[in-house]
Amino acid sequence: MWLNEVKGAFMRSALAVLVLTVPAGTALAQADNCRDCHMAIEDEDGPAHKSVRDIHIQKGLGCVECHGGDVSLEDMDEVRAAAGYRGVPTHRQVPQFCARCHSDAAYMRGHNPALPTDQLDKYRTSVHGIRLFEHRDAKVANCISCHSVHEIGDAKMPHSSTHPANLAQMCGKCHSDADYMAEYGIPTTQVEDYTGSVHGIALLERGDLGAPACNDCHGNHGAAPPGVSSLSAVCGNCHAVESDYFDGSPHKAPFEELGFPMCETCHSNHAIVRPLDEMVGTSEPAVCLQCHTADDGTVAFATADTISRALGQLVAAHGGADSLLSEAIEKGMMTTDEEFRLKEVRQALIQARTLVHSFDADSVLPRVELGLEKADIVKTNAAALIDEYYFRRKGLGFATLFITVLVIALYIKVRRVDRRLRS
Ligand code: HEC
Ligand code: HEC
Ligand code: HEC
Ligand code: HEC
Ligand code: HEC
Ligand code: HEC
Ligand code: HEC
Ligand code: HEC
Ligand code: HEC
């Protein structure tokens, strides 16, 4: 404590010097002793220095708004003794400490009317909140585990722990730590799996903000594992077409009955990879084999086989059309119409792959046939363009030969006339 007194005495004299050197009538009214003193006594990563990046401080709130006390006091012991000093909350007190403002709709409206005020209510329903309040578990996330403290940002600030690019790492502080999570018996591979997934690569490597971060599937404050019934909603938020086809498919009812999650069953949750056509069919690595056999009394195997063959045909047709058209392009022919048509073939292929989620051959086949027809037209027309190229070349050859012969004949004729005139 003597250190404090020394510090306090030092600060008092420092502040006195400050007061004396400040020209009369300037900013003194706004003097914030909390911040000034803490800035002076803390090292670089102390609360006051960090808080330069904090949205509360940036928006004009002070230390006193969270911690209480009295900004006009020049001594920490007096601050502690002041009415309303809240000090530092324990792990379990943090949610209420923050919610004093964030759940107060009238207060928040005065500052930022667009901000929701339901964080604590939602947090209470999450696995984190339930364990904190009901099981007094201090290892789960509270507000500051996720938001940091003294450098809290909104989700758009690049330094913010809740910025989409930083989120996986933030959740991973606990969820990737096998020792920390050991007592709960849940996997600790989410961040690793996610980072290598289509979603992780899109968001973290390409900066595609359309791809989900942890909170897009789990929610921010209601961080709970999406249950079977809500799963369709989670993936379907972004993959609406697949979700609609699935709802109309013969899998809808049995999946619900058996408790299979509707997308995760075939795609997994965190380690989602780019699907291949080989995922549908009757041989490895088709996912259909996980549940169906040739003699399970359903049309599943026949359906898988038909769809798989049809997709294979369309891929081959697209490839054939593509290489003929490339040849025509290389030879400098006018190919704009055919290039457009080839895009339609590609489109049909993409749609047919999405239609796999109807798990119904009659839905997939018409789209494949449409693609095959267009591919045939591209092939025919591209072949014709290539023929035309050779025909023109042949024509050009004949023309060149004819002109050469003509020139030679003319030359001979001129020489003869010339000689005759001289003789
Ligand atoms: C004259 C310097 C000075 C002023 C003014 C000051 N503090 Fe402190 N504060 C300190 C010191 C030094 C400590 C460390 C105390 C310790 O280690 O016992 C401290 C500790 C704290 C702590 C840690 C918790 C605790 O109670 O020890 C908080 C929170 C805090 N101050 C907030 C504030 C707020 C809010 C204000 C303004 C209302 C303020 N301080 C004003 C010097 C100051
Ligand atoms: C948005 C609310 C908020 C604001 C604003 C805020 N703090 Fe804090 N502060 C907290 C919380 C919450 C804790 C508890 C952190 C923990 O448990 O790890 C804390 C802890 C502290 C501590 C003790 C632990 C430590 O990190 O050393 C000090 C000292 C402190 N704050 C000082 C300050 C000062 C000085 C300011 C102003 C520059 C300030 N705080 C602004 C919420 C706030
Ligand atoms: C004294 C009231 C008060 C307390 C206590 C408080 N906040 Fe805030 N907080 C605000 C206000 C006001 C804003 C809005 C600033 C603005 O946008 O103008 C804000 C903004 C935020 C934002 C940014 C929201 C956004 O997306 O724009 C986050 C995140 C946040 N606070 C988290 C916390 C956390 C975590 C705690 C507890 C450690 C906390 N706050 C404690 C008043 C408070
Ligand atoms: C499990 C992590 C986690 C916990 C725990 C958590 N938050 Fe958040 N919070 C987030 C994320 C992530 C966002 C960013 C949402 C986005 O992308 O806009 C957020 C957003 C916010 C916002 C901005 C407004 C909004 O609702 O989107 C505020 C304010 C906020 N949190 C306050 C709190 C408070 C107060 C608590 C404690 C009661 C808390 N948070 C607990 C992760 C968390
Ligand atoms: C401070 C450490 C910590 C942080 C940070 C954290 N969590 Fe947790 N989380 C836990 C602990 C501990 C549990 C309890 C595990 C249990 O009960 O199974 C948990 C539980 C969960 C669960 C429920 C798991 C289950 O099925 O039981 C989900 C989902 C979850 N967290 C998601 C997240 C997400 C998403 C983030 C980041 C936005 C996050 N967590 C940040 C510690 C943390
Ligand atoms: C594309 C959606 C999605 C994303 C993104 C996502 N999750 Fe999950 N997560 C799920 C689903 C679905 C489950 C399984 C729920 C079930 O089986 O009931 C799950 C389960 C969990 C669980 C429970 C334990 C387990 O592994 O089954 C934790 C913890 C978790 N996720 C954390 C995270 C973290 C941390 C991130 C970010 C690195 C993340 N999740 C990203 C969808 C997602
Ligand atoms: C927030 C929106 C969002 C959510 C939620 C979401 N995804 Fe995605 N998903 C995307 C985006 C964007 C891409 C494209 C990534 C790319 O371009 O590589 C994608 C790609 C995919 C792909 C690869 C598609 C392809 O053609 O290569 C699959 C499979 C996938 N998601 C499945 C899922 C499943 C299963 C869930 C739920 C557990 C889910 N997604 C949740 C946005 C989302
Ligand atoms: C996780 C298990 C599972 C996977 C994987 C799966 N199915 Fe199924 N499928 C079922 C169940 C259960 C039924 C209902 C069986 C019944 O009605 O007896 C079903 C029914 C069907 C039906 C309707 C059969 C009928 O006769 O009415 C078709 C078609 C079908 N599946 C196709 C597929 C295809 C194609 C794949 C691979 C892309 C696939 N399934 C993958 C579990 C699965
Ligand atoms: C029974 C297994 C199964 C289920 C359940 C399933 N899928 Fe698929 N999914 C597949 C197969 C097989 C493919 C590969 C199709 C292809 O590329 O030929 C695929 C491909 C995809 C693709 C890439 C092709 C496209 O449509 O753009 C996305 C995205 C996708 N699935 C999302 C989902 C979503 C979202 C759900 C839940 C609504 C879901 N899947 C449910 C088997 C399944």
Side-chain angles (χ1 to χ4, degrees), residues 249-251 253-255 258 260-261 265-266 279-281 286-292 296-305 307 356 358-361:
S249 82
H251 280 149
F255 271 44
L258 297 165
F260 296 154
T265 301
C266 295
M279 267 178 76
V280 55
V287 289
C288 320
L289 297 179
Q290 284 168 24
C291 306
H292 294 293
D296 67 359
T298 72
V299 300
F301 239 53
T303 304
D305 189 49
I307 294 177
V356 166
S358 67
F359 306 103
D360 173 22

Side-chain angles (χ1 to χ4, degrees), residues 187-263:
T188 49
T189 52
Q190 296 91 8
V191 175
E192 193 189 334
D193 288 347
Y194 167 80
T195 306
S197 76
V198 274
H199 294 142
I201 290 170
L203 179 64
L204 302 174
E205 290 178 21
R206 293 206 310 272
D208 177 356
L209 294 177
C214 316
N215 63 334
D216 287 301
C217 294
H218 290 285
N220 302 323
H221 304 111
V228 172
S229 52
S230 68
L231 248 167
S232 56
V234 169
C235 311
N237 279 346
C238 304
H239 299 286
V241 183
E242 286 82 359
S243 170
D244 284 350
Y245 288 148
F246 182 93
D247 280 347
S249 82
H251 280 149
K252 168 86 169 163
F255 271 44
E256 259 172 21
E257 237 163 72
L258 297 165
F260 296 154
M262 90 190 310
C263 309

Side-chain angles (χ1 to χ4, degrees), residues 61-301:
L61 302 186
C63 320
V64 69
E65 249 90 24
C66 279
H67 289 290
D70 182 345
V71 285
S72 69
L73 299 174
E74 293 173 9
D75 181 89
M76 190 56 212
D77 287 333
E78 287 171 27
V79 167
R80 270 196 211 98
Y85 180 65
R86 272 177 293 272
V88 177
T90 64
H91 186 83
R92 214 155 67 85
Q93 288 167 342
V94 165
Q96 273 97 356
F97 183 91
C98 308
R100 184 171 60 84
C101 300
H102 282 286
S103 294
D104 182 341
Y107 168 86
M108 287 314 297
R109 223 176 293 125
H111 287 269
N112 182 348
L115 276 190
T117 48
D118 57 0
Q119 295 87 12
L120 179 59
D121 290 342
K122 283 191 173 159
Y123 175 75
R124 283 182 190 286
T125 68
S126 74
V127 176
H128 295 139
I130 291 171
R131 292 205 66 92
L132 184 82
F133 291 126
E134 289 174 20
H135 303 267
R136 300 182 160 258
D137 183 345
K139 287 174 76 176
V140 293
N142 68 10
C143 316
I144 60 174
S145 325
C146 293
H147 286 286
S148 82
V149 62
H150 302 130
E151 43 192 352
I152 298 174
D154 70 32
K156 287 190 272 320
M157 296 171 166
H159 83 266
S160 172
S161 58
T162 56
H163 185 279
N166 305 332
L167 206 73
Q169 214 185 353
M170 183 275 282
C171 308
K173 271 190 311 195
C174 303
H175 283 286
S176 299
D177 185 335
D179 292 336
Y180 191 83
M181 296 303 291
E183 68 191 85
Y184 302 102
I186 60 172
T188 49
T189 52
Q190 296 91 8
V191 175
E192 193 189 334
D193 288 347
Y194 167 80
T195 306
S197 76
V198 274
H199 294 142
I201 290 170
L203 179 64
L204 302 174
E205 290 178 21
R206 293 206 310 272
D208 177 356
L209 294 177
C214 316
N215 63 334
D216 287 301
C217 294
H218 290 285
N220 302 323
H221 304 111
V228 172
S229 52
S230 68
L231 248 167
S232 56
V234 169
C235 311
N237 279 346
C238 304
H239 299 286
V241 183
E242 286 82 359
S243 170
D244 284 350
Y245 288 148
F246 182 93
D247 280 347
S249 82
H251 280 149
K252 168 86 169 163
F255 271 44
E256 259 172 21
E257 237 163 72
L258 297 165
F260 296 154
M262 90 190 310
C263 309
E264 190 195 350
T265 301
C266 295
H267 291 289
S268 88
N269 48 17
H270 302 122
I272 298 173
V273 294
R274 203 168 282 295
L276 301 173
D277 290 339
E278 288 72 25
M279 267 178 76
V280 55
T282 55
S283 57
E284 287 295 339
V287 289
C288 320
L289 297 179
Q290 284 168 24
C291 306
H292 294 293
T293 58
D295 49 11
D296 67 359
T298 72
V299 300
F301 239 53

